[in-house]
Amino acid sequence: MITTDDEEDPVDGPQATWQQPDPGSPWGLTPPPAGPLEPVGGLATAVLVLSGVATATDLLAALTSFGADPTSGFDVATDVSVLTSVCWLAALVVTSVWLLRVRRNAERMSPFHHHVRSRGWAWAGWVVPVVSWWFPFQVVRDALTASAAARPGRLPRPPLALWWGTWVASQALTNLGTLLTGGVGPAAGAVQLVGVAVLGVALVPWVRVVRTATALQTP
């Protein structure tokens, strides 16, 4: 079919143009212009501080559960449990805000990088039952991979598998400890202590994950 100069070629989505193939872009498409990166340093610091505080309150909860009375609703263990829940809620909110910003930055840095999960899972992935055991890992992994692709060789890859494996193990142990005699008593305390120890191990690679994402997304 013969076309005139006045006819426009079809485009595949907004801001996409059929120009000379870009070696780094699939299908020869020119990627849409990237906007400025959102700052993540302050949120990253808050994430790490709250993660440490929440871990400390978990340790306190495990220690106080040993001498607690399972039949009493008013004791130190109950008060500490409430404090732990508040700290973890704060850590969850700040971490989700941070991760969503990291995800948006990653999309700007590598527009054509494939993300397995949509942006909303930066929040929902932590709380939706069942999928919370692997969705957050996928969101973090893809955001870091996209960020690293835009700045090859800048930083070594953090130990994502170690972080997520120990995190999942700690949550499983914590849940088990809570089920045992309502989370109080020697048996529950012992299980929770093991869970906190594993959580402490998870905290080390988590620090590297957060710092790596911050470094990759800081000009």
Side-chain angles (χ1 to χ4, degrees):
M1 179 177 67
I2 300 176
T3 61
T4 66
D5 293 338
D6 294 333
E7 293 179 336
E8 296 182 355
D9 292 331
V11 295
D12 190 19
Q15 299 178 346
T17 57
W18 292 100
Q19 299 177 354
Q20 292 297 324
D22 182 352
S25 302
W27 313 299
L29 284 174
T30 301
L37 298 182
E38 301 175 59
V40 294
L43 279 172
T45 300
V47 166
L48 295 180
V49 170
L50 287 172
S51 296
V53 170
T55 302
T57 58
D58 261 5
L59 175 60
L60 184 60
L63 292 175
T64 56
S65 66
F66 277 97
D69 181 5
T71 64
S72 174
F74 302 96
D75 52 27
V76 175
T78 302
D79 295 337
V80 172
S81 177
V82 173
L83 175 63
T84 301
S85 299
V86 171
C87 290
W88 275 112
L89 178 61
L92 170 64
V93 171
V94 175
T95 299
S96 298
V97 173
W98 169 81
L99 183 54
L100 181 60
R101 185 169 294 187
V102 168
R103 166 61 181 268
R104 289 197 298 256
N105 284 343
E107 292 175 355
R108 293 186 178 102
M109 295 172 72
S110 298
F112 287 113
H113 182 83
H114 175 64
H115 294 263
V116 176
R117 305 299 167 195
S118 62
R119 286 183 183 181
W121 290 110
W123 281 86
W126 301 99
V127 296
V128 175
V130 182
V131 300
S132 61
W133 294 105
W134 73 91
F135 273 30
F137 170 79
Q138 293 177 324
V139 175
V140 172
R141 178 201 61 196
D142 291 346
L144 278 176
T145 302
S147 301
R151 298 186 176 173
R154 179 165 178 173
L155 289 169
R157 185 179 180 88
L160 290 172
L162 175 62
W163 157 60
W164 191 249
T166 49
W167 164 260
V168 169
S170 70
Q171 297 309 296
L173 288 167
T174 299
N175 292 339
L176 176 61
T178 302
L179 291 174
L180 293 174
T181 62
V184 296
V191 174
Q192 289 178 2
L193 273 180
V194 176
V196 173
V198 178
L199 181 62
V201 175
L203 188 60
V204 177
W206 174 237
V207 171
R208 287 188 58 187
V209 169
V210 174
R211 287 182 173 176
T212 299
T214 302
L216 287 171
Q217 297 188 354
T218 300

